[in-house]
């Protein structure tokens, strides 16, 4: 069988809002799946979330729903629910896949849908295992990480909704795993994922939970320093900051070599009574190491530091804000094949990304924009359900379905 | 076919170190795959990373390599490389899968391995698309997020290595996608993933990159406040902090109701000239809203706040450090089926987690510990390569393979 992309033979219906579930669906779409996002009339609660383009189009929504098709149905009516069920359960080898983070109500329950299509796969994201509501920012405070971040006793939230991003990728992983189960057994599982469990996993996977149990140790806030190794930030002469790290001994030696400070740094060993060839020793002596390095950075501009570190094997990087990332950094530009230019409805010409995995032979699904809300309602109902035009028009007039807003 | 778990019929060889690739492999192992991690003699560069148990066992390594089998080979010798290739390319329907973040050298290149097994899938994580070195902490500074975090002009690193965690889940997603390609075409792709691209994706997927392009806007640091909605942290009477948010109007109204402050909060609308029924309006008026709410929280203990908010529909959560998470929070305990108790070699009795997805019928792969380094060298070489005992003993004596350290 010839497939353009790894998931080109799959269709997924997504009934979702916000970040985690839409990002999961978008990941599948950017691997080739036909992902049909169903929204209620007028859009769901996330349709107008900030940031906005000048005409009010949500850049948030446009960024999280790229490469999908958009269908609008009156999901609060029996007719709208019936059409949604029909789309989810439409026959065909690649179909019978639902991804949702909406509460599992009667009309969209696994039981109701499995009765219509016995091999249905349902991916369901909840806030908590019991089905309660939670969002990234309210599970984040429980994680332990905010109180280990920054320099003081006050917690510091991460701005990246890391739990939503992880949840999205657990959903994409879990869906493909569920598909294997269906292939092997003929039955499609219901797969549930709680955002709170997604939050708990890294603390346990990275040793923090074990450290409490075994050593009664709590990771304290360390500013921008790396735990258990040498790494921290430094200021430059031209008001910039850089992050310098060393994991391997080779990377460590490269620092002394590129700065010319090898001999002075070596004095730190006996002074702090540590072995600087040991990662933990470098962590223990980090303040002394920083004291020696700080003036070297403070006397040089970012450009001079870049030149000094070119080809040196030093593991470092400059801090930049989002504007510098977009305007100055070639990795966030069309020079990076993960990015491309599209005409985004409601926005105009825009550089957008596809997903980061690259497959030999197939490459990547090219970057594409997000649909207008309801852009594909008619096409999808016609294509998948065989709905005739006159019937579609009647459903529109009755407010059961909606196409894109007239501009 | 009966499969205990979604990936029970798959074997993956992992040649890896640190977080991203091992976490990707562990995710597959915790979905049922037989994941065999190959390390060089004495372990790789991550074998002793902090935090450590009292006897020196790395809790980091033990947490990132649960549910795998461990094989130790002299990967810097032709004999060791030949054994590794033989394991990676051993025949059998479920095999021919390699996951690695080590530089793609001659002996472990896709070309060399595909010559031995034509349907080989290779998942390769690099630092940058060009194959350069990068770690979470050095791509993080380029992301734009640290300069949007906290309250001031200095960047704030997140402590969670979010890019490593994302990369791990892109690897697990990508592997299962690659497996579909193999099933359809008979050829196994080489799939590459750059950590720097993993870092770029969320900034672009969440609207930050579009905001720069369309509005020339840079997300400024907002402390612990949510952007575009109402959400921030508050201090309690007993020295704790909580995070309070409202996304929907119902959640917003619940705050006024549960605190008894509805009328006073309503005065903010005309005072700040915003519509408090609009998420963006609540964001714009966030300081005024916080001013009204702050004393309410400051006069109550965490327990009193919890009681007031019980069943109220308010979307909130308490900050806790890692010790409070482990000692006080039921979601990080054996009450949560994601956790279980194991005997962890080098550590003792330990509560550990499995992965968070739950499959109807199959449930989850139960929590298990990490192997001792080299624990399965003999068993794996015997089982997969048919190596006789005497041959194994000779390879041990020659330093080509190693079993677990004698205690």
């Amino acid at each position: 069988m010839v497939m353009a992309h790894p998931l080109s033979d799959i269709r997924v219906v997504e009934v979702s809002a916000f970040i985690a579930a839409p990002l999961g669906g978008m990941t599948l779409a950017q691997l080739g799946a036909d992902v049909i996002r169903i929204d209620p009339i007028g859009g769901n609660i996330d349709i107008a979330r900030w940031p906005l383009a000048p005409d009010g189009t949500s850049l948030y929504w446009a960024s999280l729903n790229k490469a999908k098709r958009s269908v609008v149905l009156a999901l609060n009516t029996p007719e709208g629910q019936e059409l949604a069920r029909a789309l989810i359960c439409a026959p065909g080898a690649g179909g019978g896949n639902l991804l949702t983070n909406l509460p599992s109500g009667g009309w969209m329950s696994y039981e109701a849908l499995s009765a219509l299509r016995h091999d249905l796969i349902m991916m369901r994201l909840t806030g908590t295992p019991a089905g309660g509501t939670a969002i990234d920012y309210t599970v984040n405070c429980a994680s332990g990480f905010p109180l280990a971040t920054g320099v003081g006793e006050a917690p510091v939230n991460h701005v990246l909704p890391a739990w939503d991003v992880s949840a999205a990728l657990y959903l994409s992983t879990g869906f493909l795993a569920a598909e294997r189960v269906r292939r092997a057994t003929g039955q499609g599982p219901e797969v549930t994922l709680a955002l709170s469990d997604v939050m708990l996993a890294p603390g346990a996977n990275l040793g923090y939970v074990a450290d409490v149990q075994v050593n009664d140790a709590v990771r304290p806030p360390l500013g921008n320093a790396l735990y258990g190794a040498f790494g921290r930030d430094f200021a430059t002469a031209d008001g910039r900051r850089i992050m310098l790290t060393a994991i391997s001994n080779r990377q460590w030696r490269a620092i002394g070599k590129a700065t010319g400070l090898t001999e002075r740094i070596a004095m730190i060993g006996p002074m702090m009574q540590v072995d600087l060839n040991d990662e933990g020793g470098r962590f223990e002596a980090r303040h002394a190491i920083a004291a020696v390095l700080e003036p070297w950075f403070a006397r040089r501009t970012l450009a001079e530091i870049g030149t000094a570190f070119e080809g040196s094997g030093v593991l470092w990087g400059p801090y930049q804000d989002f504007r510098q990332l977009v305007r100055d950094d070639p990795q966030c530009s069309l020079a990076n094949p993960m990015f491309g230019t599209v005409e985004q409805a409601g926005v105009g010409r825009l550089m957008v990304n596809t997903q980061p995995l690259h497959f030999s032979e197939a490459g990547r699904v090219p970057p594409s924009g997000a649909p207008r809300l309801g852009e594909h309602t008619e096409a999808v109902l016609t294509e998948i359900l065989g709905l005739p035009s006159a019937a579609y028009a009647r459903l529109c007039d009755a407010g059961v379905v909606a196409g894109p807003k007239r501009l």
Side-chain angles (χ1 to χ4, degrees), chain A:
Chain A
M1 166 167 60
V2 176
M3 286 205 308
H5 293 286
L7 308 190
S8 293
D9 58 334
I10 292 179
R11 180 170 65 231
V12 178
V13 172
E14 181 194 306
V15 185
S16 71
F18 298 123
I19 297 174
L23 187 51
M26 185 168 77
T27 302
L28 299 174
Q30 290 178 333
L31 288 168
D34 174 24
V35 176
I36 298 168
R37 173 169 164 158
I38 301 180
D39 279 281
I41 305 287
N44 209 324
I45 191 177
D46 58 344
I47 190 59
R49 302 203 82 218
W50 290 15
L52 306 176
D55 80 341
T57 299
S58 168
L59 297 176
Y60 168 102
W61 203 96
S63 300
L64 285 162
N65 294 286
K66 301 190 291 280
K68 299 177 191 172
R69 295 205 277 175
S70 171
V71 167
V72 172
L73 306 174
L75 294 178
N76 58 337
T77 70
E79 297 100 313
Q81 293 165 4
E82 188 179 31
L83 285 169
R85 276 195 300 263
L87 285 177
I88 295 165
C89 302
N97 305 306
L98 171 65
L99 169 65
T100 185
N101 68 319
L102 297 204
S104 159
W107 75 266
M108 203 172 63
S109 71
Y110 178 66
E111 291 67 33
L113 294 170
S114 298
L116 297 175
R117 185 166 168 152
H118 75 280
D119 65 342
L120 175 99
I121 290 173
M122 184 162 176
M123 304 297 303
R124 194 156 62 86
L125 176 72
T126 64
T128 64
T133 305
I135 64 173
D136 185 287
Y137 306 101
T138 58
V139 297
N140 182 47
C141 40
S143 71
F145 284 102
L147 280 172
T149 304
V151 293
E153 277 187 23
V156 180
N157 291 347
H158 53 203
V159 171
L160 172 78
W163 315 121
D164 280 337
V165 172
S166 294
L169 296 169
Y170 270 116
L171 288 171
S172 57
T173 297
F175 169 68
L176 294 175
E179 219 224 344
R180 298 185 91 260
V181 174
R182 175 167 62 196
R183 196 172 303 111
T185 67
Q187 299 297 320
E190 176 183 23
V191 185
T192 48
L193 179 69
L195 190 65
S196 56
D197 281 345
V198 172
M199 170 275 294
L200 291 165
N205 290 335
L206 293 164
Y208 295 90
V209 168
D211 208 7
V212 171
Q213 294 179 68
V214 173
N215 299 315
D216 195 30
V218 183
R219 185 70 52 84
L222 297 170
N224 290 329
L226 230 61
Y227 172 76
F230 177 72
R232 56 158 284 178
D233 56 331
F234 292 91
T236 73
D238 52 343
R240 297 295 294 268
R241 284 188 99 91
I242 66 101
M243 181 72 186
L244 176 73
T245 67
I247 304 298
S248 70
N249 281 344
R250 178 183 295 185
Q251 289 158 357
W252 169 246
R253 287 191 299 270
I255 295 175
K257 215 165 156 213
T259 59
L261 293 169
T262 303
E263 284 180 19
R264 289 171 52 197
I265 290 171
M267 297 175 192
I268 294 169
M271 184 180 87
M272 294 297 297
Q273 297 196 302
V274 296
D275 174 6
L276 291 177
N277 288 321
D278 174 70
E279 226 190 341
R282 298 193 286 261
F283 174 69
E284 284 174 342
R286 63 194 181 281
H287 298 301
I289 297 168
V292 172
L293 291 173
E294 211 159 4
W296 187 91
F297 286 102
R299 294 187 190 121
R300 288 164 176 77
T301 64
L302 179 61
E304 289 167 340
I305 293 163
T307 304
F309 285 169
E310 185 113 32
S312 66
V314 171
L315 198 55
W316 76 292
Y319 286 91
Q320 51 191 11
D321 62 29
F322 287 108
R323 187 185 282 118
Q324 288 163 329
L325 173 69
V326 175
R327 304 244 182 267
D328 304 338
D329 195 334
Q331 63 181 337
C332 188
S333 79
L334 299 178
N336 181 339
M338 194 173 71
F339 288 94
T341 311
V342 302
E343 271 304 313
Q344 174 59 55
V347 179
R349 208 150 182 70
L350 197 63
M351 180 184 74
V352 302
N353 65 313
T354 183
Q355 57 77 33
L357 293 152
H358 179 273
F359 291 75
S360 59
E361 300 291 324
R364 289 187 183 91
V365 172
S368 62
R372 281 182 297 152
L373 185 71
E375 182 173 344
H376 305 99
T377 308
E378 184 169 14
V380 164
L381 293 176
T382 306
E383 172 197 319
I384 298 179
L385 302 185
L387 198 69
S389 303
Y392 176 78
R394 271 199 302 277
L395 290 169
C396 255
D397 293 341
V400 177
V401 308
K405 273 206 185 117
R406 288 162 61 128
L407 300 167

